[in-house]
Amino acid sequence: MSDNDEKKTLGVRTGPRAGNVKQSFSHGRTKNVVVETKRKRVVVPKPGAAPGAAGKPQANVNPGKRPAGISDAEMERRLKALQAAKAREAEDAAKREAQELEREAERNRRRAEAEAKEAEEKERAEKARAKAEEERKVAEAAAAAQQAAVAAAAPVEDAAQPRSAPTKQAPRKQEVTKDRDQRGRGKGQHDGRRSGKLTLNQALSGGEGGRQKSMAAMKRKQERARQKAMGGVQEREKVIRDVQLPETIVVSELANRMAERVADVIKTLMNNDMMVTQNQTIDADTAELIIEEFGHKVVRVSDADVEDVIAGVDDKDEDLVPRPPVITIMGHVDHGKTSLLDAIRDAKVVSGEAGGITQHIGAYQVTTDSGTVLSFLDTPGHAAFTSMRARGAQVTDIVVLVVAADDAVMPQTIEAINHAKAAQVPMIVAINKIDKPDADPNKVRTDLLQHEVIVEAMSGEVQDVEVSAITGQGLDELLEAIALQSEILELKANPDRAAEGAVIEAQLDVGRGPVATVLVQKGTLKQGDIFVVGEQFGRVRALINDRGDRIKEAGPSVPVEVLGLNGTPEAGDVLNVVDTEAQAREIAEYREKAAKDKRAAAGAGTSLEQLMAQAKTNENMTEMPILVKTDVQGSAEAIVQAMEKIGNDEVRVRVLHSGVGAITESDIGLAEASGAPVFGFNVRANAPARNSANQKGVEIRYYSVIYDLVDDVKAAASGLLGAEIRENFIGYAKIKEVFKVTGVGKVAGCLVTEGVARRSAGVRLLRDDVVIHEGTLKTLKRFKDEVPEVQSGQECGMAFENYDDIRPDDVIEIFEREEVERKLD
């Protein structure tokens, strides 16, 4: 126990800085807590240190008092830096103090202005109140005078009433005053004071259970109160707005554009006998009347105004720079157009084409030995590809007309000449296959004269060059002629503007999506540009040149493949670069809607008479429905045009659907519903489509040459034609005598004068060379025997089936009917 007494008890040190704190808790519980305040540590300088040592740099510092490794110069530098830092701190403090004084002065000035303004408003309010009080006193004096006049005119018996009457009316007067005060604080005179208890909901929501007022609403309320105190509300000046009015507009949108209340607009429409809601659409004429009634100005706009962003820009002469010419190779099929271009490009395109004929329009760029850059378009020569040749002629600068020296001018040659004349582009005649033994270039030149194409050899203006794609003869002369023609044309374009181009071809690639071959005509198309092309839009994801290399930009006259479209455009559409994706989407949606309305209008607007006439026309018409899927848009267009030419008055081919890309399951579903075969041109059906076609019994046919497809469809359509019935006259017989036979009827005794009479043949009865009956024979007998036929010069007996009006000297015509299968031309 003695050891414990000697030890000190552990605890908080007592002293002047210790104290007890009593904590109170709920339910009457308390707790005492001991609190100690820690003393602040005071740093006392060492006895050897001088009082001013910290402020002044010491040149001779004791080495024992500084950190190890610090020289005198270093120590002096550090002390100088410390002193400079302290000087900067003092300067900053002075600046802050000056700024604070300026701010305080500004605050005082604003406060004084606010007080002066408030005093002015108070004085104005006092004046207005005094004026209102004076007016009230005048009104009360007038009312008192009126009451006195009424009292003076009252009968004498009213004056003899007991004196207690005024004391009875005193409470009523107080009630009237109280009611007047309550009416004064009515709906229009609400002073904003809360009535009743303050509930939790009101306290949290900041109002009487509703949403809290905004600062703008509070300011408007104060402004109204101030204007009322000054003696009346000033009418706000109405803002006249220019309201853009489309062809149709929703009522709520019209009110929004006029900055008017929707209720006011609906009220005005109802006054004009139009019962509408805010979500209903009204036409432009009605909206114009409403806008004018509200005092605004009407600005009529059309849906087509969205295309104003791609309006043509006139290029300045100083911005134009020379560009490569665009040359289109045209001519009849198998005259060597692609082979000639291959010889110029030193490539092998023909070997990659099915059947050795060109079925796609191709775009290439060639650099000659002299450094001249030429852009070539290779068009198909088959009759079905008329639209492709027309597109090639429209975007070109020079047309090279290829004519085979051993074949001369052919139908597609004439068509190419007409396309070139319609597009008003110069022409160069390339007489190909000059290396063949039977080549006759003079016959080609002579044949061209019939179509108003006069070559230089015939004293004309059209250049002609004899070439051979196999041997390479005349290729240099052809390139020189093209270069000379392009120099004469002085082709220029502005590369520093928004790009504009024409879609030469479009396809749906499995890995890359929609791809369009575009020939840039103006400006420079860059990667990342936002564009609209026909009913499609997109952003340039990649640009690929004719050799398959990726490039960053394409200038004028450069053909490129563009990736990044949202759908496959039509061949021949114009590509325009726009600023934003929203503009591109709006233009594409407008064009799509316009095209849909145009297609709907083509079917609408038909009268009942027209429908009846059409039904009567189609009554005997047989249709062959088909579905066509191709690899590129141009081929689909060419096949559809070829299908429209097949048929006559009895049968026709109807293309239910044509598209680009592989044959899908939805195509099979459409084919099954309409009983149509599916034709794939250079495309195949995917696995689900093949399985679906096998289950549903839909026929799928694949083609790679357009000749074969057209011939097969023509043969199938010919099968729908009814067989032609031909009559072959095989004999004549003259009736000598008519006999009546029991059980048979009248029997004609005849002499076969020509040909042969057959039992199975058809007969006609002629009387005075007029047909009076046509039917079949019931019996044909020679003597008493039934015979199948009777030869010329022999007699026989004939009886008609269900006909007895026969006379002597009538002539019987015997014929046979033959069914002949018909074919479409």
Side-chain angles (χ1 to χ4, degrees):
M1 293 297 292
S2 61
D3 293 338
N4 292 335
D5 294 337
E6 291 175 0
K7 292 180 180 178
K8 292 182 179 179
T9 307
L10 293 175
V12 181
R13 189 174 63 183
T14 59
R17 294 185 176 273
N20 291 332
V21 176
K22 185 177 181 181
Q23 291 183 328
S24 299
F25 298 97
S26 62
H27 299 8
R29 291 184 293 121
T30 59
K31 183 180 179 183
N32 290 326
V33 180
V34 181
V35 179
E36 179 188 2
T37 305
K38 295 181 76 174
R39 288 191 180 90
K40 186 177 180 183
R41 185 179 177 186
V42 180
V43 181
V44 181
K46 294 183 179 181
K56 299 179 182 178
Q58 298 178 0
N60 300 320
V61 180
N62 189 358
K65 303 281 184 158
R66 70 165 72 101
I70 302 297
S71 62
D72 294 344
E74 179 67 21
M75 196 65 186
E76 187 175 354
R77 234 182 351 261
R78 290 189 179 186
L79 292 172
K80 283 182 179 178
L82 182 61
Q83 188 177 8
K86 289 186 176 182
R88 278 197 301 273
E89 284 181 4
E91 186 178 349
D92 291 344
K95 281 184 180 178
R96 282 196 298 272
E97 188 177 353
Q99 290 175 357
E100 186 63 32
L101 290 173
E102 288 179 1
R103 283 196 289 270
E104 184 65 27
E106 180 67 18
R107 282 196 293 269
N108 293 334
R109 185 181 62 79
R110 288 183 180 176
R111 193 180 299 114
E113 288 180 356
E115 289 176 355
K117 190 174 182 181
E118 188 176 354
E120 185 180 349
E121 288 182 357
K122 280 184 179 180
E123 185 179 354
R124 194 181 298 120
E126 286 292 336
K127 287 181 180 179
R129 198 176 295 113
K131 184 178 179 183
E133 184 68 23
E134 186 178 351
E135 290 177 355
R136 187 179 62 80
K137 287 180 180 179
V138 171
E140 285 180 356
Q146 189 175 1
Q147 287 179 3
V150 171
V156 180
E157 56 266 17
D158 290 343
Q161 287 180 353
R163 292 182 180 271
S164 58
T167 58
K168 291 181 181 178
Q169 291 182 354
R172 187 184 174 194
K173 186 175 182 181
Q174 292 176 0
E175 290 175 5
V176 171
T177 308
K178 186 178 179 181
D179 292 340
R180 188 183 299 147
D181 293 340
Q182 287 179 354
R183 283 198 303 271
R185 289 198 300 268
K187 186 177 178 182
Q189 304 289 334
H190 189 264
D191 56 0
R193 289 181 292 184
R194 187 183 67 252
S195 62
K197 294 181 180 180
L198 176 64
T199 62
L200 184 63
N201 184 28
Q202 294 172 1
L204 291 176
S205 61
E208 300 293 330
R211 64 181 182 182
Q212 194 171 358
K213 288 187 177 180
S214 64
M215 286 295 295
M218 297 295 291
K219 287 180 179 178
R220 287 195 297 271
K221 185 177 178 182
Q222 291 176 359
E223 180 69 17
R224 284 196 297 269
R226 187 177 65 81
Q227 288 180 352
K228 187 174 181 182
M230 290 177 62
V233 181
Q234 295 180 356
E235 285 292 332
R236 190 183 302 173
E237 186 178 352
K238 187 176 181 64
V239 179
I240 307 299
R241 302 178 186 276
D242 292 335
V243 181
Q244 290 191 345
L245 182 60
E247 294 166 3
T248 58
I249 189 169
V250 180
V251 174
S252 57
E253 177 63 21
L254 176 63
N256 188 23
R257 294 188 182 186
M258 293 192 298
E260 302 285 353
R261 293 172 61 231
V262 179
D264 295 340
V265 177
I266 293 175
K267 193 184 298 181
T268 308
L269 285 165
M270 287 182 175
N271 291 336
N272 289 318
D273 298 331
M274 288 193 66
M275 304 301 163
V276 295
T277 64
Q278 63 177 356
N279 297 323
Q280 283 183 291
T281 304
I282 58 175
D283 61 298
D285 295 334
T286 306
E288 185 173 358
L289 293 173
I290 300 302
I291 293 168
E292 289 176 352
E293 193 164 338
F294 276 94
H296 299 291
K297 295 180 181 177
V298 179
V299 180
R300 284 286 190 117
V301 295
S302 172
D303 291 340
D305 292 344
V306 297
E307 297 205 24
D308 290 346
V309 296
I310 56 174
V313 179
D314 294 332
D315 296 321
K316 297 179 181 178
D317 293 337
E318 57 267 20
D319 297 334
L320 300 178
V321 296
R323 64 170 177 85
V326 179
I327 304 104
T328 300
I329 311 278
M330 302 177 78
H332 192 71
V333 62
D334 204 26
H335 274 202
K337 300 181 294 299
T338 308
S339 301
L340 182 63
L341 188 55
D342 284 349
I344 295 172
R345 296 177 61 231
D346 193 17
K348 302 265 182 227
V349 175
V350 170
S351 58
E353 291 279 5
I357 64 168
T358 301
Q359 300 180 111
H360 306 91
I361 188 166
Y364 313 99
Q365 205 161 30
V366 178
T367 304
T368 62
D369 296 334
S370 61
T372 306
V373 179
L374 307 174
S375 296
F376 283 96
L377 297 180
D378 185 18
T379 61
H382 189 269
F385 295 99
T386 303
S387 298
M388 282 195 190
R389 286 190 291 275
R391 274 198 303 279
Q394 286 166 2
V395 299
T396 192
D397 301 314
I398 302 169
V399 169
V400 174
L401 183 66
V402 179
V403 187
D406 60 341
D407 205 13
V409 176
M410 299 298 284
Q412 268 62 60
T413 311
I414 301 168
E415 185 190 296
I417 293 171
N418 294 332
H419 284 317
K421 287 181 178 178
Q424 297 181 351
V425 291
M427 192 186 312
I428 298 173
V429 177
I431 304 174
N432 196 18
K433 302 185 181 181
I434 200 67
D435 55 316
K436 286 199 170 184
D438 54 347
D440 188 359
N442 289 325
K443 183 178 183 304
V444 173
R445 295 185 180 99
T446 307
D447 289 351
L448 288 173
L449 289 173
Q450 302 175 11
H451 306 286
E452 300 177 3
V453 178
I454 307 170
V455 298
E456 288 180 343
M458 298 282 186
S459 303
E461 296 181 354
V462 179
Q463 299 182 73
D464 65 312
V465 183
E466 296 180 4
V467 296
S468 171
I470 304 298
T471 63
Q473 175 187 347
L475 293 182
D476 294 336
E477 289 83 352
L478 177 62
L479 293 176
E480 285 179 8
I482 293 171
L484 176 62
Q485 187 66 56
S486 64
E487 284 180 12
I488 295 172
L489 293 174
E490 294 183 354
L491 303 170
K492 292 183 178 181
N494 180 13
D496 302 323
R497 55 163 285 176
E500 182 181 321
V503 177
I504 304 299
E505 193 58 278
Q507 62 181 341
L508 186 63
D509 195 283
V510 177
R512 301 184 297 173
V515 180
T517 303
V518 177
L519 178 68
V520 182
Q521 294 172 309
K522 298 175 184 176
T524 303
L525 186 62
K526 304 182 183 68
Q527 191 170 339
D529 281 350
I530 299 167
F531 62 89
V532 58
V533 49
E535 299 174 25
Q536 313 298 333
F537 70 96
R539 184 189 295 269
V540 179
R541 200 169 72 235
L543 296 172
I544 301 172
N545 63 9
D546 60 312
R547 300 189 182 276
D549 301 328
R550 286 204 171 199
I551 56 177
K552 293 292 184 184
E553 58 181 32
S557 301
V558 177
V560 287
E561 283 188 343
V562 179
L563 279 69
L565 294 105
N566 70 328
T568 308
E570 297 286 334
D573 286 343
V574 178
L575 181 144
N576 295 97
V577 172
V578 295
D579 295 331
T580 62
E581 190 172 344
Q583 289 179 348
R585 183 182 288 106
E586 191 177 7
I587 294 169
E589 287 175 354
Y590 163 72
R591 290 177 176 175
E592 186 178 1
K593 180 177 177 292
K596 193 181 294 181
D597 293 345
K598 188 176 180 181
R599 287 192 294 269
T606 307
S607 64
L608 184 61
E609 290 79 6
Q610 291 173 329
L611 284 173
M612 296 295 289
Q614 189 176 1
K616 192 173 181 180
T617 305
N618 297 337
E619 186 178 1
N620 299 321
M621 176 73 71
T622 306
E623 281 189 346
M624 177 185 171
I626 63 170
L627 266 81
V628 178
K629 293 301 284 288
T630 64
D631 55 341
V632 296
Q633 188 71 40
S635 298
E637 185 182 19
I639 292 171
V640 170
Q641 290 176 354
M643 295 300 105
E644 289 173 353
K645 294 177 182 176
I646 297 175
N648 54 17
D649 295 338
E650 298 177 35
V651 65
R652 67 183 175 194
V653 179
R654 182 182 172 204
V655 181
L656 292 176
H657 172 66
S658 65
V660 178
I663 299 169
T664 61
E665 206 168 350
S666 61
D667 298 328
I668 302 300
L670 178 59
E672 184 208 10
S674 54
V678 181
F679 295 100
F681 186 76
N682 287 332
V683 295
R684 296 292 180 266
N686 54 31
R690 286 197 299 271
N691 296 335
S692 179
N694 292 334
Q695 292 172 3
K696 298 175 180 177
V698 176
E699 183 183 9
I700 301 177
R701 292 193 178 188
Y702 300 121
Y703 297 91
S704 57
V705 179
I706 198 169
Y707 294 127
D708 302 336
L709 190 150
V710 174
D711 291 344
D712 282 4
V713 173
K714 196 177 288 185
S718 300
L720 297 176
L721 289 171
E724 183 180 356
I725 306 298
R726 289 184 184 175
E727 292 183 354
N728 296 324
F729 297 100
I730 59 173
Y732 289 92
K734 189 172 182 180
I735 299 176
K736 295 292 186 180
E737 193 67 43
V738 178
F739 306 98
K740 289 184 179 180
V741 179
T742 306
V744 177
K746 288 186 178 181
V747 176
C750 307
L751 174 66
V752 179
T753 58
E754 186 180 337
V756 62
R758 287 198 180 97
R759 169 79 174 77
S760 59
V763 291
R764 289 191 186 96
L765 183 64
L766 307 180
R767 187 173 295 160
D768 297 331
D769 294 328
V770 178
V771 177
I772 60 173
H773 175 68
E774 180 177 338
T776 57
L777 290 176
K778 182 164 62 174
T779 180
L780 177 64
K781 289 187 177 183
R782 179 162 171 75
F783 301 110
K784 292 185 179 181
D785 301 326
E786 191 79 29
V787 291
E789 65 177 33
V790 177
Q791 297 294 327
S792 174
Q794 297 179 349
E795 293 182 344
C796 62
M798 296 183 189
F800 290 91
E801 191 82 45
N802 300 325
Y803 191 77
D804 287 339
D805 184 17
I806 52 177
R807 300 175 189 175
D809 295 330
D810 286 351
V811 177
I812 298 173
E813 185 179 72
I814 304 119
F815 63 91
E816 286 184 342
R817 287 188 175 92
E818 178 187 6
E819 289 188 356
V820 180
E821 186 179 343
R822 297 163 64 196
K823 291 185 178 179
L824 289 170
D825 296 333

